[in-house]
Amino acid sequence: MITRTLLLIPIMILAACSSDTVNSADNTVNPLSSPQDNTNAHQSLEPEGKYSKVSNNERKKIAHSNNTYYKSKANVVHIPGSKQVKINIDDSLIIINLISNDGSYLIFKNSNDYLNKFAEIGFNYTYDTDLEDAIKRIKVFKSPDSEQGILILPEGTEEYPTYTISPFDSTGIKHSYTAEIQSFDCDNFDTIILGAATLNDNVAQSVSISQKGKPCKVNISDSKVIGSIKPAKQGNKFKKSQQFMSNELTQTYSSNLYQFYNFDVNADGIKDKIITHKNNKDNVHQGDDLFIYLGTLDNKYKLSLETNNFTDEAGWFLNDITPRSDYSGFILTTYFADRGHSEQSFYFGLQNDKWLITKYVSAGTLITGVPYYCIENHSSDISNVSYGESSEYSEAAFEKNCPPLVSRYKVTANKAEILDQNFKPQIPSNYYVKGDVIEAVAQNEDWIKVSYKQDRKYGWVDKGSLKALR
């Protein structure tokens, strides 16, 4: 499991007017927690405690053995402009990917295990309820004594308040139902009772809902089995000893869900494949899996690494994956949606057949307008890497320890070749010569991006042949 000293550096830096919510005394963050920002994230569902305030007398009146579910504290986060809602419930994470105003996909994750992947779910806000109001109406009910709970999502209706009711437990969500509340004065219900002993497809026959101890009249119907549209073959089922043809990987990892990157990552001169879930504001099929398949001499591929792409927190999206300058590893860059121009870059390296994070870089702009570029050097196993030391910096420390990169460089080698925008040699080759001074239009720790031929073309130059001019 990848641990983090800080998950979202730019939240602390940029949202100076909002309050970060770290719930433990030692300032550690739950790996499944989400950013808490009063402007850009909606938090709902009883902030006063883990379960809503229902008096002891009311609990006695409505309690039925272990089948009573009270409205629980859950964290619902939606970054405006994105097509993803994240709901944290204890150590579980539910992700709702918005397709349109009348359909969504759901991902259910418990710790590092996926219980549901890309399951169709009813989340409809087509009538008088817009998206923002619909998100505020999301409810979570939880049993105080077990892992069982119920997810409530609003559905569109022309008459009474209508919801999708989805019971869940340690195995995920198996069924969902449509529940129509027959009175508007019961729309803020706080307790659900299941007369059935288990959460199965007949559970709707014995559901009762109440608000402040008063029963609500509700019509529950349309039992639906929650399925999955994930590919039949799963990458995590593959063994590292197996080898696959390129077309087998293409069939396994659908282009609707995954992005392929093809370049050498272990410096053997053979192209490899990095395959990761698409994750951006315009793509509804969001996930965070990342796989590396190394190419072989007989044009096959074998699994070398299965990890994540560091976009499991709300608001962070995949920007790009690029090769290292020595082609031993790759650089994965993410960005934070809509504000601060904040980026994180993870430098992956392969040493003695073991994948490491060798460097972490965070870059962006402080709330004062001062740019920063923080470097943390690592040599950590992927499963144990932590990062975010700069989160503890004061503004003065940021300016001292994280100066922005220079933009001008001098060529120190006899020739500095310009690769194309895909990091491939050009035919005929283009290059700078020793002594040339060039301006970077973009850069990372390994490369600078340049414009040439009167700004009509762009390419990449290895920083190893350059000297920074300060």
Side-chain angles (χ1 to χ4, degrees):
M1 178 178 179
I2 297 175
T3 58
R4 314 173 185 203
T5 306
L6 179 79
L7 293 173
L8 297 174
I9 288 176
I11 295 294
M12 182 279 295
I13 298 167
L14 300 168
C17 296
S18 65
S19 59
D20 297 328
T21 59
V22 179
N23 296 323
S24 58
D26 61 356
N27 288 335
T28 58
V29 180
N30 186 305
L32 291 176
S33 65
S34 299
Q36 313 281 315
D37 179 60
N38 293 333
T39 301
N40 290 297
H42 297 288
Q43 299 178 52
S44 60
L45 310 181
E46 302 295 339
E48 293 90 351
K50 188 171 182 180
Y51 298 99
S52 65
K53 293 183 176 180
V54 179
S55 70
N56 288 334
N57 288 335
E58 289 170 339
R59 285 177 186 263
K60 290 178 181 178
K61 290 179 183 178
I62 59 180
H64 283 204
S65 65
N66 292 325
N67 298 319
T68 303
Y69 297 79
Y70 298 106
K71 191 174 178 184
S72 70
K73 180 182 179 182
N75 186 34
V76 181
V77 176
H78 173 249
I79 302 299
S82 74
K83 293 184 176 181
Q84 187 178 82
V85 179
K86 292 195 175 185
I87 306 166
N88 291 143
I89 312 163
D90 297 334
D91 60 349
S92 295
L93 172 66
I94 295 177
I95 302 171
I96 301 172
N97 293 314
L98 309 173
I99 300 174
S100 63
N101 57 8
D102 61 356
S104 300
Y105 288 122
L106 176 144
I107 297 172
F108 196 123
K109 188 175 182 181
N110 185 281
S111 297
N112 285 328
D113 298 323
Y114 286 96
L115 306 178
N116 297 92
K117 264 193 173 183
F118 305 112
E120 292 185 75
I121 197 76
F123 180 40
N124 184 318
Y125 45 96
T126 54
Y127 294 101
D128 293 333
T129 303
D130 61 20
L131 175 59
E132 300 304 312
D133 288 336
I135 291 171
K136 293 176 183 178
R137 292 173 60 201
I138 293 174
K139 304 172 186 284
V140 176
F141 289 79
K142 192 76 164 50
S143 169
D145 305 314
S146 73
E147 296 184 53
Q148 294 181 345
I150 300 174
L151 172 67
I152 309 290
L153 301 175
E155 285 197 29
T157 179
E158 293 180 329
E159 192 173 1
Y160 292 121
T162 305
Y163 295 89
T164 294
I165 293 184
S166 302
F168 63 84
D169 58 15
S170 59
T171 63
I173 295 175
K174 299 296 190 298
H175 298 86
S176 69
Y177 316 90
T178 297
E180 186 179 66
I181 308 298
Q182 301 294 298
S183 174
F184 283 100
D185 61 5
C186 220
D187 193 28
N188 195 31
F189 51 91
D190 52 35
T191 305
I192 293 179
I193 302 172
L194 300 184
T198 58
L199 304 177
N200 56 40
D201 57 350
N202 295 316
V203 75
Q205 298 175 6
S206 55
V207 171
S208 60
I209 293 174
S210 63
Q211 180 171 307
K212 295 183 178 179
K214 178 183 177 181
C216 300
K217 186 177 180 181
V218 58
N219 179 28
I220 298 179
S221 59
D222 297 339
S223 174
K224 179 182 177 182
V225 176
I226 297 296
S228 174
I229 61 168
K230 61 187 178 182
K233 293 182 180 179
Q234 289 299 299
N236 57 14
K237 301 288 186 183
F238 292 165
K239 298 178 180 179
K240 290 192 176 182
S241 59
Q242 290 180 276
Q243 295 188 3
F244 304 91
M245 300 297 293
S246 179
N247 64 332
E248 290 180 294
L249 296 179
T250 302
Q251 292 170 5
T252 299
Y253 300 100
S254 167
S255 60
N256 292 326
L257 304 177
Y258 294 92
Q259 176 72 42
F260 281 64
Y261 297 87
N262 301 284
F263 53 79
D264 188 9
V265 299
N266 60 345
D268 64 355
I270 302 173
K271 283 188 178 181
D272 308 303
K273 291 184 183 293
I274 301 174
I275 306 172
T276 187
H277 268 116
K278 291 182 177 181
N279 191 304
N280 56 60
K281 292 189 294 181
D282 299 321
N283 179 50
V284 300
H285 298 295
Q286 295 173 334
D288 61 359
D289 291 321
L290 183 144
F291 307 95
I292 300 173
Y293 286 89
L294 299 181
T296 65
L297 290 173
D298 56 355
N299 295 319
K300 293 184 179 180
Y301 297 87
K302 58 182 179 180
L303 182 64
S304 176
L305 176 67
E306 177 183 349
T307 183
N308 72 65
N309 62 16
F310 295 94
T311 62
D312 54 328
E313 291 300 318
W316 284 101
F317 297 101
L318 181 66
N319 182 29
D320 202 4
I321 296 178
T322 57
R324 300 295 304 267
S325 58
D326 61 0
Y327 297 96
S328 181
F330 59 94
I331 306 168
L332 185 152
T333 304
T334 64
Y335 69 96
F336 190 74
D338 297 329
R339 68 179 184 196
H341 306 293
S342 303
E343 285 191 351
Q344 298 179 116
S345 295
F346 301 86
Y347 289 72
F348 287 70
L350 186 59
Q351 300 178 11
N352 299 320
D353 294 324
K354 185 176 184 179
W355 284 98
L356 308 173
I357 295 288
T358 61
K359 188 174 297 186
Y360 165 73
V361 174
S362 62
T365 305
L366 299 176
I367 198 169
T368 57
V370 175
Y372 66 90
Y373 186 89
C374 299
I375 305 172
E376 298 177 15
N377 291 307
H378 291 280
S379 185
S380 303
D381 183 89
I382 300 296
S383 61
N384 297 322
V385 65
S386 61
Y387 55 90
E389 299 165 7
S390 55
S391 64
E392 300 177 1
Y393 289 171
S394 64
E395 186 174 310
F398 263 105
E399 295 188 22
K400 177 182 178 181
N401 299 327
C402 304
L405 291 172
V406 301
S407 60
R408 298 175 69 246
Y409 291 83
K410 185 176 183 178
V411 178
T412 55
N414 290 331
K415 289 183 179 180
E417 185 178 7
I418 306 172
L419 304 181
D420 68 15
Q421 294 198 68
N422 295 315
F423 297 89
K424 297 178 181 178
Q426 303 186 67
I427 300 174
S429 61
N430 290 275
Y431 53 85
Y432 294 103
V433 297
K434 188 173 185 177
D436 283 347
V437 175
I438 54 181
E439 190 85 14
V441 297
Q443 59 183 306
N444 54 40
E445 287 294 280
D446 286 15
W447 307 92
I448 69 166
K449 190 174 186 178
V450 298
S451 65
Y452 59 105
K453 292 190 176 180
Q454 298 180 336
D455 294 333
R456 289 184 289 108
K457 298 190 71 175
Y458 292 87
W460 294 94
V461 178
D462 186 348
K463 274 190 174 180
S465 58
L466 310 175
K467 178 183 178 181
L469 298 177
R470 297 189 180 275

